[in-house]
């Protein structure tokens, strides 16, 4: 799975228990990102719909959530042949080499040329086929294994990361049997829309701050779009990211509360699970109130590590340390809202499994040190 800030890897065991205890057969992962929550739910037999506005997240969802290898028995053998073929292709320098290896340094040029050749072949030979999202996922994951970043694409390392010297090699994504759907779009427009239908359980994990996912992962956006966009700045971001219409309401302090309220209210699900943390724009009380319209609300708290930047500290462009390292942990809230008996059963199951603790009050943020602020 790709490196992804905000991925809920550590919450997956608790979210799995919550889903099992709810008895849900259908689920909605409305901000699916890496799709790891949707995958966990699909693995336990649920029919899941995975939604995200980012192109690369949609491709991951088409691969891991919407593709059903049982329904298409010829897919896995065809995938194996295609991966071997793509791995045998020699490099051919193109947009990725020029932009992400020469104008910037996300990949070594030999790997950039291989990404160019493989991406061209995926488009030329598999566009429109069921293999397209699976092969593209395989390429994104292969590129992620040889990149030279700390996990965000707003910058790259001054010295090549050790993994960047490894040759790019595609692997077969581990496809999950069973039905599922992938939808690309804005959660604000989709929540409540007939297109998504009604589900037993919805998981909402919106961005928590101004940092945009399509911008922080612009290299993946461009590899998926394959549209050779003009770019700007040292990070070589896509110029269209500057267009205000591409901004998510969840990345604005003023727009986020209303957007979240709209989504929580509109989503058609019996039980809603909302993730948020204790140092972002909405307080514990505001989150609680937001969810109360859906019925009984319980909150679980999870201790969590902050972004790697918080551990490294703040440096100026010459690499000198200019800030202090702030606190290293924060708290992730998971609010569960819906019919009382079901919500209680779900939360009790998580507590009994030793996977989370309930809280009925805000968990304070450590005080005293400045917070780390990342450039947008
Ligand atoms: C915190 S991440 C979700 C992480 C995910 N739960 C995981 O475990 O990988 C938030 C996601 O919301 C998506 N997003 C941002 N604004 C959106 C919008 N308006 N509609 C749908 N998705 C949006 C981002 O692309 C990002 O993938």
């Amino acid at each position: 799975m790709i490196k992804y800030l905000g991925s809920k890897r550590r919450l997956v065991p608790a979210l799995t228990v919550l889903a099992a205890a709810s008895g849900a057969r259908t689920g909605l992962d409305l901000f699916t990102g890496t799709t790891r929550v949707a995958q966990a739910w699909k693995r336990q037999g649920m029919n899941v719909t995975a939604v995200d506005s980012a192109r690369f997240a949609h491709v991951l969802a088409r691969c891991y959530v919407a593709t059903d290898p049982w329904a298409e028995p010829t897919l896995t053998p065809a995938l194996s042949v295609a991966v071997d073929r793509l791995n045998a292709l020699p490099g051919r320098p193109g947009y990725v080499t020029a932009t992400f290896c020469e104008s910037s340094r996300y990949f070594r040029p030999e790997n950039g040329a291989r990404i160019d050749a493989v991406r061209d072949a995926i488009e030329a030979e598999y566009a429109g086929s069921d293999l397209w999202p699976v092969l593209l996922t395989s390429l994104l994951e292969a590129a992620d294994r040889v990149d030279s970043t700390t996990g965000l694409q707003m910058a790259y390392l001054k010295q090549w990361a050790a993994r960047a010297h490894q040759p790019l090699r595609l692997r077969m994504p581990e496809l999950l049997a069973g039905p599922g759907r992938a939808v690309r779009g804005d959660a604000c427009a989709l929540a409540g829309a007939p297109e998504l239908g009604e589900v037993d359980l919805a998981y909402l994990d919106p961005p928590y701050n101004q940092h945009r996912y399509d911008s922080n992962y612009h290299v993946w956006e461009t590899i998926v779009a394959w549209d050779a966009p003009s770019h700007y700045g040292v990070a070589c971001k896509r110029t269209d990211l500057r267009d205000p219409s591409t901004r998510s309401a969840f990345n604005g302090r003023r727009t986020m509360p209303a957007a979240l309220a709209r989504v929580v209210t509109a989503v058609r699900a019996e039980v809603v699970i909302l993730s948020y943390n204790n140092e972002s724009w909405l307080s514990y009380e505001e989150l609680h109130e937001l969810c109360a319209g859906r019925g009984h609300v319980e909150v679980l708290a999870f201790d969590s590590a902050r972004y790697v930047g918080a551990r490294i500290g703040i440096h100026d462009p010459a690499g000198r340390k200019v800030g202090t390292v702030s606190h290293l942990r924060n708290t992730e809230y998971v609010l569960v809202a819906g019919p009382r008996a079901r919500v209680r059963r779900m939360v009790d199951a998580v507590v009994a499994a030793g996977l989370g603790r309930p809280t009925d009050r805000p968990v304070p943020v450590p005080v005293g040190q400045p917070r780390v602020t990342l450039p947008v």
Side-chain angles (χ1 to χ4, degrees):
M1 208 157 291
I2 58 169
K3 296 184 278 299
Y4 205 56
L5 185 68
S7 146
K8 293 303 175 291
R9 184 169 61 86
R10 287 174 188 282
L11 290 187
V12 163
L15 292 168
T16 303
V17 168
L18 284 172
S22 79
R25 301 169 74 95
T26 53
L28 170 67
D29 184 5
L30 197 54
F31 301 85
T32 198
T34 59
T35 73
R36 54 172 87 238
V37 176
Q39 284 190 47
W41 285 2
K42 183 177 178 184
R43 217 172 265 123
Q44 65 190 103
M46 288 167 64
N47 186 338
V48 183
T49 299
V51 176
D52 204 286
S53 52
R55 293 175 178 92
F56 63 91
H58 181 54
V59 163
L60 299 178
R62 286 183 62 189
C63 171
Y64 288 118
V65 183
T67 301
D68 181 357
W70 279 6
E72 286 181 78
T74 56
L75 191 103
T76 306
L79 176 61
S80 172
V81 171
V83 165
D84 286 348
R85 216 187 82 56
L86 295 174
N87 272 332
L89 282 181
R92 198 179 56 217
Y95 182 90
V96 169
T97 312
T99 313
F100 299 135
C101 307
E102 292 166 0
S103 300
S104 57
R105 285 161 45 106
Y106 292 98
F107 309 104
R108 302 267 312 159
E110 58 276 18
N111 279 332
R114 292 263 300 115
I115 295 171
D116 277 317
V118 170
R119 183 64 186 88
D120 276 340
I122 291 174
E123 206 55 34
E125 294 166 37
Y126 301 99
S129 87
D130 292 341
L131 282 179
W132 186 87
V134 184
L135 292 171
L136 205 39
T137 295
S138 175
L139 175 61
L140 293 178
E141 292 178 345
D144 185 60
R145 286 191 293 272
V146 297
D147 79 339
S148 193
T149 72
T150 60
L152 286 176
Q153 296 166 350
M154 59 190 187
Y156 38 91
L157 297 172
K158 257 200 296 192
Q159 309 290 339
W160 289 109
R163 66 174 173 273
H165 295 277
Q166 300 294 320
L168 180 98
R169 190 147 191 87
L170 276 66
R171 298 179 191 157
M172 302 238 308
E174 285 179 27
L175 301 175
L176 300 173
R181 272 201 312 156
V183 178
R184 180 173 173 224
D186 183 345
C188 298
L190 286 168
E195 186 184 347
L196 292 191
E198 195 162 345
V199 291
D200 299 328
L201 189 58
Y203 179 53
L204 313 183
D205 184 22
Y208 297 169
N209 53 38
Q210 74 276 24
H211 302 298
R212 298 174 56 175
Y213 280 85
D214 51 2
S215 172
N216 280 340
Y217 296 99
H218 64 97
V219 176
W220 302 154
E221 284 293 86
T222 292
I223 290 178
V224 171
W226 211 227
D227 53 354
S230 59
H231 51 85
Y232 69 95
V234 182
C236 293
K237 292 187 176 185
R238 306 170 57 86
T239 306
D240 59 11
L241 288 167
R242 285 176 151 166
D243 178 347
S245 71
T246 64
R247 284 193 83 84
S248 165
F250 294 91
N251 291 126
R253 181 187 268 276
R254 280 185 304 106
T255 47
M256 184 270 179
L260 187 59
R262 188 158 61 243
V263 168
V264 169
T265 306
V267 73
R268 291 166 66 203
E270 176 142 4
V271 178
V272 168
I273 302 175
L274 170 65
S275 275
Y276 207 69
N277 75 15
N278 70 334
E279 52 181 355
S280 295
W281 293 328
L282 290 180
S283 67
Y284 173 96
E285 291 81 3
E286 287 167 320
L287 293 167
H288 205 282
E289 195 182 322
L290 206 79
C291 290
R294 301 212 60 109
H296 179 65
V297 182
E298 302 245 347
V299 186
L300 289 160
F302 298 83
D303 184 42
S304 140
R306 300 179 79 231
Y307 167 61
V308 63
R311 278 172 268 152
I312 297 169
I314 312 166
H315 298 81
D316 69 10
R320 284 182 296 262
K321 207 158 193 175
V322 293
T324 12
V325 175
S326 176
H327 53 285
L328 302 179
R329 317 285 306 173
N330 61 13
T331 299
E332 192 83 32
Y333 295 132
V334 170
L335 293 94
V336 186
R340 178 181 293 271
R342 191 183 286 202
V343 168
R344 283 226 57 94
R345 192 168 70 229
M346 292 166 67
V347 169
D348 285 350
V350 170
V351 175
L355 292 172
R357 62 188 159 87
T359 182
D360 58 4
R361 67 199 59 180
V363 178
V365 181
V367 287
Q369 301 239 20
R371 291 184 186 174
V372 172
T373 309
L374 303 170
V376 183

